[in-house]
Amino acid sequence: MEPTPPATDGHPAPDTLTSNSVRCDAYADSVALMRAAQHLTGLPGITAASLVMATEPNLRLLADARLLTGEGRAARPADLIVALRGTADAIEHALGEVPALLEQPAAAGSAEADAWVPRALGEADPATALALISTPGPYAAAEALKALRRGMHAFVFSDNVPVEQEIRIKEEAHRLGLLAMGPDCGTGVLDGVPLGFANVLRPGRVGLIGASGTGLQQVSCLLDAAGEGVRQMIGTGGRDLSAEVGARTTLDALDLLAADDGCELIVLVSKPPAPEVAERVLARAGRTGKPVVAAFLGTDRPAPRGAVTVVATLRDAARAVVRTLGGVPAPGWAPPAVDGVPGRYLRALYAGGTFAYEARQLLPGAATAVDPYVPGRDIALPERHLVLDLGDDAYTAGRPHPMIDPTVRAAHLRAALTDPRTAVVVLDVVLGHGAGTDPAGALAAELERVGERGRPPVIAFVVGTDGDPQDVDAVRARLSGAGALLAPTSTDAAEWAVSLTDASREPGRTTAELTSSGRAGR
């Protein structure tokens, strides 16, 4: 153990120790590591916990979070680092819990305990149709290529994979007639099986393809609420529609869904692609022989001729699907009146990066970063509007994603609620597989702690379905009971929040302008 170093601004370090315990040649799924870190962080006397593979990017993140010691620096990329900050006794107790958290052995004599589980792709049944790859980034490409050459589709959850390796993976998948989903692919539902962060969705006739994980979750949940089901949901990874990658997976997925008789309509969800890539994707979409709704967030690109509809928001994507399939979208939603706001600035604190991007189209001049959270230090909010993606690496260094561990977002919420300059706060709460068991609890507790008197209004929206394990109705009731104002979609929440500030009168796109760009989907 080592004394915790001071922060870079000279702020005195807490009276705690920092420990790195290295487990050689060990590997665990990244979601399992995040959940273990969340559990350890909640132990008495532990102020920070992170479990990561000892790759160079992860070592840099630990160093930035002041969680790296000499033992961790000496680890190899195939080693697992358990990094802890806390009192000596608390660290010793926490390390004792790590084996059970990582191994979670089945009861002796159970079917799970007796079953043989392959430990490498070479040991897997050749009939297996898909490999989910969540190794450290430097090794992910080799594992993906190995899976593809064994006849498996590859779902690559890993990030920090060089773009040239991504291109190689996707070219090989195309050559073999398979799909390469990712790298950095967080969401998918294939033949009813959820992958990564995904909701429990009714089966149906809509196929979704997306470079945006939370965007796919929002659209698919809105379709579920409208009575429409999902045939397949294919994530591509965030760089797929870049000029470098050229939509290789998106184009292959379009061909796959075009040939699927059970898929009647296709939805594309992404930030705006590179212009030449957008032209290629929309042209291919027009040749599928099926209606296609393309949600390119914030775009003003006109739809091509044929059965392709282009919309600019996630809400309008769902509405366009329902209308195209012969249904009647729910009536437009009008937010209730809010009697004044105490400050001037909007503070949007998102766990989903797509929602942050969608909100930034309304607030092009908003700040998009603050100093990373350090326990015991105040969070400095800017003298301007703020739209944060708190799932970004800058805020998850040393901690799990905010969909799993709400600690960092709760601290930012506390700062926003107590800042007299805050006019309104926006929060997303995402349910489903991979998300925390009580995703609204810490946020609601902050609202209750501050109280409603003199507090800025807090607008929240929940992304989930009736089938999700967290009980979507209970989550909404928890937020509402704590005083949050509920919006039905991410788009409605952002537009409502902007309408409560003077943001719509600032230079850039207004709420009305963004809404009008998506009217084709209404």
Side-chain angles (χ1 to χ4, degrees), residues 300-365:
D300 55 3
R301 175 178 294 277
R305 293 181 180 179
V308 180
T309 301
V310 179
V311 298
T313 72
L314 300 172
R315 174 195 62 203
D316 290 348
R319 293 175 64 84
V321 170
V322 172
R323 175 173 286 113
T324 303
L325 290 174
V328 178
W333 178 78
V338 175
D339 295 331
V341 294
R344 179 180 179 186
Y345 298 118
L346 179 147
R347 314 297 194 189
L349 309 173
Y350 290 108
T354 304
F355 305 140
Y357 183 89
E358 186 179 42
R360 287 169 190 160
Q361 307 315 297
L362 292 168
L363 292 167

Side-chain angles (χ1 to χ4, degrees), residues 118-408:
R119 303 297 297 173
L121 281 172
E123 300 173 357
D125 182 348
T128 300
L130 180 138
L132 195 157
I133 296 162
S134 186
T135 63
Y139 307 102
E143 295 302 316
L145 290 170
K146 190 186 302 181
L148 292 167
R149 289 164 185 166
R150 289 181 62 83
M152 304 178 191
H153 300 295
F155 184 96
V156 187
F157 193 82
S158 309
D159 57 6
N160 294 306
V161 177
V163 68
E164 60 272 14
Q165 293 185 12
E166 177 173 348
I167 292 170
R168 183 183 176 198
I169 293 167
K170 292 183 172 183
E171 287 178 340
E172 185 71 356
H174 178 76
R175 184 182 74 82
L176 295 169
L178 296 166
L179 282 176
M181 294 159 278
D184 199 16
C185 184
T187 299
V189 178
L190 300 180
D191 293 337
V193 178
L195 302 171
F197 295 96
N199 302 92
V200 178
L201 303 166
R202 70 181 78 211
R205 51 183 172 166
V206 179
L208 294 100
I209 305 167
S212 155
T214 48
L216 283 173
Q217 288 186 264
Q218 171 74 108
V219 174
S220 61
C221 288
L222 293 175
L223 293 178
D224 188 274
E228 287 293 344
V230 169
R231 175 74 172 178
Q232 308 286 357
M233 189 159 74
I234 301 169
T236 67
R239 294 184 303 207
D240 192 65
L241 278 78
S242 66
E244 295 88 348
V245 181
R248 284 170 165 86
T249 295
T250 299
L251 296 173
D252 286 344
L254 276 169
D255 290 344
L256 184 150
L257 294 178
D260 181 357
D261 291 338
C263 175
E264 297 183 20
L265 181 145
I266 301 170
V267 183
L268 300 170
V269 181
S270 174
K271 299 171 186 176
E276 66 277 15
V277 175
E279 292 294 336
R280 192 180 313 140
V281 168
L282 291 175
R284 181 72 63 86
R287 296 197 297 270
T288 61
K290 299 179 179 182
V292 176
V293 174
F296 294 158
L297 301 185
T299 188
D300 55 3
R301 175 178 294 277
R305 293 181 180 179
V308 180
T309 301
V310 179
V311 298
T313 72
L314 300 172
R315 174 195 62 203
D316 290 348
R319 293 175 64 84
V321 170
V322 172
R323 175 173 286 113
T324 303
L325 290 174
V328 178
W333 178 78
V338 175
D339 295 331
V341 294
R344 179 180 179 186
Y345 298 118
L346 179 147
R347 314 297 194 189
L349 309 173
Y350 290 108
T354 304
F355 305 140
Y357 183 89
E358 186 179 42
R360 287 169 190 160
Q361 307 315 297
L362 292 168
L363 292 167
T368 59
V370 296
D371 290 338
Y373 167 73
V374 176
R377 289 175 52 190
D378 293 335
I379 295 172
L381 301 177
E383 190 76 29
R384 57 198 287 202
H385 300 298
L386 176 68
V387 180
L388 284 183
D389 170 14
L390 287 167
D392 187 83
D393 286 349
Y395 307 104
T396 56
R399 288 189 179 274
H401 192 280
M403 288 185 194
I404 298 174
D405 180 1
T407 304
V408 172

Side-chain angles (χ1 to χ4, degrees), residues 65-80:
R66 301 180 296 125
L67 279 171
L68 187 63
T69 70
E71 187 175 0
R73 290 187 187 93
R76 300 168 302 142
D79 298 340
L80 172 64

